[in-house]
């Protein structure tokens, strides 16, 4: 799947806007650390690390974690090693400041999604680039279908980037990280396959039963909601340097680029979901 010109335009608009905000967001941990956190020790690598961090069920100091890392007992960015100071520095902050940083980045993603799905797409709608691009969007189903399968074949890696309860001082789900990996994988498989089914039928000129509803649109709304729900995993990878794959350390800019594509995906799915949203408004008497 190669992004079409209109998608690339949207991605570029998102990239420019996010890159303007990114330095401010990434500067927050360092600025806040210098004001609010007492360093454990003078270190050229980690400045402003809090005295204690939570590793699994045991409370360990940064020095103890680093000692275990040097002994080869833990690996940075994997399991308990996610509690070592991250490359972004965000997980060295007190919980309220971690939460503030995560909320700020989430708000930026939401704002870019609204901008793309609204004025950016409205300006492009009906143009030659739009007509060329728009029919290719259901091919995203292949990506989500493959990702859903990977949730089962690479479950350990996906679990590593799933934030455990208590992350950032507020994160909570009723399920374990492994359970979250599995159920999101099931939804990705269903959403991706359902989208390809609807798009394939339309391409083949096959009229699906009306009882199925707008298949591609329903799948798009499903994947929109799923993408919202799994965005915290990408945030966790940034804030705690959580690795996926487990042997690859992604630089901060890599995490930022991954987050840049969240609003692009969300805006595309929202656009494709319009028939389903229209039906829902009609059924609720909101039109």
């Amino acid at each position: 799947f190669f992004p079409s010109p209109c998608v690339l335009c949207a991605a570029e608009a998102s990239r420019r806007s996010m890159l303007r905000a990114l330095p401010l967001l990434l500067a927050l941990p360092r600025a806040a650390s210098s004001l609010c956190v007492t360093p454990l020790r003078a270190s050229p690598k980690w400045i402003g690390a809090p005295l204690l961090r939570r590793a699994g069920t045991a409370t360990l100091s940064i020095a103890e974690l680093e000692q275990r890392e040097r002994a080869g007992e833990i690996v940075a960015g994997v399991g308990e090693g996610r509690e070592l100071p991250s490359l972004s520095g965000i997980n060295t902050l007190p919980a309220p400041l971690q939460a503030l940083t995560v909320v700020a980045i989430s708000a930026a993603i939401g704002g870019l999604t609204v901008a793309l799905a609204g004025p950016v797409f409205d300006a492009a709608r009906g143009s030659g680039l739009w007509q060329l691009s728009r029919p290719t969007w259901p091919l995203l189903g292949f990506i989500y279908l493959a990702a859903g399968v990977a949730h089962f074949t690479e479950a350990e890696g996906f679990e590593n980037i799933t934030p455990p309860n208590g992350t950032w001082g507020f994160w909570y789900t009723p399920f374990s990280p492994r359970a979250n990996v599995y159920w999101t994988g099931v939804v990705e498989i269903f959403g991706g396959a359902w989208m390809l089914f609807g798009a394939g039928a339309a391409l083949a000129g096959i009229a699906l039963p009306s009882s199925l509803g707008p298949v591609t649109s329903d799948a798009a709304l499903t994947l929109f909601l799923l993408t919202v729900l799994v965005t915290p995993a990408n945030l966790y990878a940034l804030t705690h340097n959580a690795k996926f794959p487990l042997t690859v350390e992604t630089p901060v800019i890599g995490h930022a680029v991954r987050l840049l594509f969240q609003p692009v995906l969300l805006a595309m799915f929202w656009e494709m979901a319009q028939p389903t949203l229209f039906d829902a408004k009609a059924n609720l008497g909101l039109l």
Side-chain angles (χ1 to χ4, degrees):
F1 169 66
F2 295 96
S4 51
C6 191
V7 176
L8 291 175
C9 290
E12 176 62 18
S14 174
R15 184 188 69 83
R16 288 196 302 267
S17 300
M18 195 72 168
L19 285 179
R20 292 190 188 101
L22 186 62
L24 296 176
L25 294 174
L26 293 181
L28 178 60
R30 296 179 177 86
S33 294
S34 64
L35 294 173
C36 303
V37 181
T38 301
L40 176 66
R41 57 184 171 83
S43 168
K45 184 177 181 182
W46 308 117
I47 301 298
L51 179 62
L52 296 176
R53 298 296 299 159
R54 174 69 62 179
T57 58
T59 301
L60 302 175
S61 69
I62 294 298
E64 289 173 317
L65 286 170
E66 291 181 335
Q67 183 178 7
R68 294 183 63 189
E69 181 188 18
R70 288 191 295 270
E73 297 176 4
I74 61 174
V75 176
V78 179
E80 290 184 352
R82 297 171 297 182
E83 296 300 331
L84 288 163
S86 66
L87 297 176
S88 68
I90 295 173
N91 71 338
T92 66
L93 296 175
L97 292 179
Q98 290 188 43
L100 178 62
T101 303
V102 169
V103 169
I105 296 174
S106 300
I109 292 173
L112 287 171
T113 299
V114 172
L116 288 172
V120 174
F121 283 178
D122 287 343
R125 204 181 312 277
S127 67
L129 287 176
W130 180 269
Q131 298 299 332
L132 179 66
S133 166
R134 181 61 179 79
T136 69
W137 291 7
L139 293 177
L140 286 169
F142 282 114
I143 297 176
Y144 276 75
L145 177 59
V149 173
H151 275 236
F152 295 90
T153 61
E154 301 291 337
E156 186 176 356
F158 278 101
E159 183 177 359
N160 193 60
I161 62 171
T162 302
N165 287 342
T167 300
W168 310 309
F170 71 88
W171 182 254
Y172 173 81
T173 74
F175 310 111
S176 68
R178 180 59 65 98
N180 285 329
V181 169
Y182 286 154
W183 79 256
T184 54
V186 170
V187 176
E188 284 187 336
I189 291 171
F190 168 77
W194 199 240
M195 176 170 286
L196 294 172
F197 172 64
L203 187 63
I206 300 173
L208 297 174
S210 59
S211 59
L212 293 179
V215 173
T216 303
S217 177
D218 288 350
L221 184 58
T222 299
L223 294 179
F224 173 88
L225 296 173
L226 177 70
T227 302
V228 171
L229 292 175
V230 301
T231 295
N234 292 332
L235 290 169
Y236 185 61
L238 169 67
T239 61
H240 287 70
N241 201 38
K243 293 181 179 179
F244 180 78
L246 295 176
T247 57
V248 177
E249 183 169 54
T250 304
V252 172
I253 189 63
H255 294 303
V257 169
R258 181 161 53 185
L259 287 169
L260 280 172
F261 278 94
Q262 296 298 106
V264 176
L265 290 171
L266 289 169
M268 292 169 70
F269 286 136
W270 186 257
E271 173 68 24
M272 287 190 284
Q274 288 307 303
T276 298
L277 296 171
F278 181 87
D279 286 352
K281 292 177 181 179
N283 292 334
L284 294 173
L286 300 178
L287 295 179

